[in-house]
């Protein structure tokens, strides 16, 4: 595995970081707890020492699964990355959306990052994860009802108390990053990025490069679209958030698969899967520090971790970029 320093900090994360959203089941059409635990352990055995989760993933389930999976592993050999600012148990802040929990009960999701809420959420996350500190603590989505300074004053206090090591953000634009930095140094921004979804390269990634802030790319496989295993008539399980998503329209799947067919010979030449080729390309992209790769079972986890063994020359990266442009991505 390869490891990269995050921002100006001394925190290093595994370049392939385990993304534990799907492990929590919520919005992915259920999960198998034992499979998820095995996936995390298999990743760790291959050097994936960093795990990204959030309280909202399964309304605590994902963090508890991570906590179970890491029992017995020396804490200083792990980097735990989690989030705050999405409440399903408190109707405050920006209303996000309606959803259903893993039991099928309707819940309302709010984006809220008031001071007392941040402190409370941290305590809950520490309990679920079974640890006494979080390596990187990130606001999950902007909350327009709370001053950014108030939110990060709370994170500052958690850092002073030793409960958090570093502060990050997710889904922040440049103006929000600048404002947050006035209260506390932000070392990273977790944002959506994939071969077919590169809007963040216009402003956010160049700003992060300039200010030495790391980019943690989430959904680098575009939630399974870039595996080459999706077909135009793919049927999603009940509760799967991908149903109705623009990337999963029959036209989008066909267009993406036509592009993937063009780069498959390169994957074959490298004795790699398409997923592994896509992940390696992602972490070679300027400004992209870490790729978050989700897995729901051991096989997927092992495959994701092995992506780091794929080596790409400048010419091969250019070949992929040329095919992307030809495909209209």
């Amino acid at each position: 595995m390869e490891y990269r320093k995050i921002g100006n900090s001394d925190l290093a994360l595994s370049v392939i970081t385990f993304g534990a959203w799907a492990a929590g089941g919520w919005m992915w059409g259920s999960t198998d707890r034992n499979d998820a635990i095995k996936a995390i352990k298999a990743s760790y055995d291959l050097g994936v020492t960093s795990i990204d989760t959030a309280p909202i993933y399964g309304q605590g389930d994902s963090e508890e699964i991570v906590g179970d999976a890491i029992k017995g592993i020396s804490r200083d050999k792990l980097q735990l990355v989690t989030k705050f600012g999405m409440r399903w148990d408190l109707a405050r802040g920006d209303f996000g959306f309606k959803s259903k929990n893993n039991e099928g009960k309707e819940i309302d999701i709010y984006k809220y990052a008031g001071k007392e809420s941040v402190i409370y959420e941290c305590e809950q996350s520490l309990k679920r994860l079974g640890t006494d500190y979080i390596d990187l603590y990130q606001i999950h989505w902007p909350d327009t009802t709370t001053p950014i300074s108030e939110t990060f004053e709370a994170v500052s206090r958690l850092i002073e108390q030793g409960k958090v090591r570093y502060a990050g953000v997710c889904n922040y634009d440049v103006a929000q990053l600048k404002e947050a930095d006035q209260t506390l140094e932000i070392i990273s921004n977790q944002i959506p990025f994939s071969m077919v979804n590169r809007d963040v390269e216009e402003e956010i990634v160049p700003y992060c490069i300039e200010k030495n802030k790391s980019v943690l790319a989430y959904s680098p496989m575009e939630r399974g679209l870039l595996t080459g295993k999706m077909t135009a008539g793919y049927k999603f399980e009940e509760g799967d958030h991908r149903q109705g998503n623009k990337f999963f329209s029959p036209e989008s799947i066909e267009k993406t698969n036509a592009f993937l067919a063009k780069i498959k010979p390169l994957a074959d030449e490298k004795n790699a899967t398409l997923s592994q080729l896509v992940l390696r390309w992602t972490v070679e992209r300027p400004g992209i520090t870490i790729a978050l790769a989700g897995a729901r079972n051991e096989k997927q986890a092992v495959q994701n971790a092995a992506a780091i063994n794929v080596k790409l020359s400048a010419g091969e990266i250019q070949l992929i970029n040329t095919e992307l442009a030809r495909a209209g991505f």
Side-chain angles (χ1 to χ4, degrees):
M1 185 49 61
E2 296 171 19
Y3 304 86
R4 291 179 183 168
K5 285 279 176 74
I6 304 303
N8 293 315
S9 76
D10 63 357
L11 174 66
L13 300 183
S14 49
V15 169
I16 306 295
T17 284
F18 189 97
W21 177 13
W26 176 68
M27 295 179 76
W28 286 88
S30 83
T31 191
D32 182 293
R33 192 182 189 93
N34 289 330
D35 282 353
I37 289 170
K38 283 178 188 169
I40 293 168
K41 287 183 170 178
S43 291
Y44 178 79
D45 288 342
L46 292 172
V48 177
T49 57
S50 312
I51 306 166
D52 175 89
T53 181
I56 193 64
Y57 300 159
Q59 295 72 57
D61 284 359
S62 176
E63 285 187 326
E64 286 178 358
I65 286 167
V66 171
D68 284 348
I70 64 172
K71 276 179 184 155
I73 299 174
S74 178
R75 181 65 182 84
D76 62 353
K77 300 282 194 293
L78 287 162
Q79 301 82 47
L80 295 180
V81 181
T82 193
K83 309 179 189 79
F84 64 90
M86 288 189 85
R87 298 290 298 266
W88 65 94
D89 53 346
L90 180 72
R92 285 193 72 177
D94 287 321
F95 175 72
F97 53 95
K98 288 186 173 293
S99 184
K100 288 184 179 177
N101 65 15
N102 284 344
E103 283 72 53
K105 183 185 166 200
E106 294 199 355
I107 51 174
D108 291 341
I109 313 293
Y110 285 83
K111 300 171 193 172
Y112 180 57
K115 201 168 190 172
E116 72 296 335
S117 185
V118 177
I119 305 288
Y120 169 80
E121 283 205 76
C122 183
E123 294 298 338
Q124 300 307 304
S125 289
L126 291 171
K127 282 180 198 163
R128 287 189 288 256
L129 291 164
T131 186
D132 54 5
Y133 70 93
I134 293 158
D135 292 280
L136 180 61
Y137 203 38
Q138 311 160 109
I139 185 168
H140 205 149
W141 283 93
D143 161 27
T144 65
T145 70
T146 304
I148 287 174
S149 59
E150 179 186 325
T151 296
F152 287 98
E153 278 164 15
V155 180
S156 275
R157 188 193 299 176
L158 292 168
I159 291 172
E160 285 163 15
Q161 293 170 346
K163 293 172 181 175
V164 167
R165 289 185 66 203
Y166 295 104
V169 298
C170 304
N171 305 299
Y172 261 37
D173 62 24
V174 170
Q176 290 161 335
L177 264 172
K178 286 178 178 173
E179 194 174 335
D181 252 340
Q182 291 173 8
T183 302
L184 180 64
E185 185 185 2
I186 303 301
I187 66 169
S188 61
N189 191 7
Q190 185 177 145
I191 45 181
F193 176 83
S194 75
M195 283 180 164
V196 298
N197 183 16
R198 303 202 305 276
D199 294 350
V200 293
E201 287 188 325
E202 287 175 29
E203 288 182 18
I204 300 172
V205 173
Y207 178 79
C208 288
I209 292 171
E210 181 195 341
K211 299 296 181 184
N212 193 23
K213 297 189 186 301
S214 289
V215 171
L216 281 56
Y218 74 78
S219 300
M221 305 301 305
E222 204 50 63
R223 307 172 204 204
L225 178 66
L226 290 167
T227 62
K229 294 172 186 170
M230 306 293 294
T231 56
Y234 191 87
K235 294 282 184 284
F236 293 101
E237 285 186 50
E238 184 68 32
D240 192 314
H241 72 286
R242 294 174 294 182
Q243 198 159 8
N245 181 297
K246 67 176 182 179
F247 287 110
F248 295 93
S249 68
E251 299 76 26
S252 173
I253 291 173
E254 281 179 18
K255 179 181 173 184
T256 305
N257 284 346
F259 156 70
L260 291 171
K262 298 283 189 187
I263 64 168
K264 189 167 189 312
L266 179 59
D268 293 343
E269 190 186 310
K270 302 279 179 189
N271 199 22
T273 65
L274 275 169
S275 301
Q276 289 167 337
L277 185 69
V278 169
L279 282 174
R280 185 76 226 199
W281 175 90
T282 301
V283 297
E284 294 296 341
R285 197 74 179 161
I288 305 297
T289 317
I290 302 296
L292 299 169
R296 302 176 76 174
N297 57 53
E298 197 171 343
K299 185 182 173 187
Q300 290 174 355
V302 167
Q303 182 176 299
N304 289 343
I308 209 67
N309 301 325
V310 178
K311 303 300 179 206
L312 291 174
S313 69
E316 288 164 339
I317 290 169
Q318 188 51 53
L319 181 148
I320 294 170
N321 293 344
T322 300
E323 291 297 349
L324 273 172
R326 278 188 187 144
F329 291 120

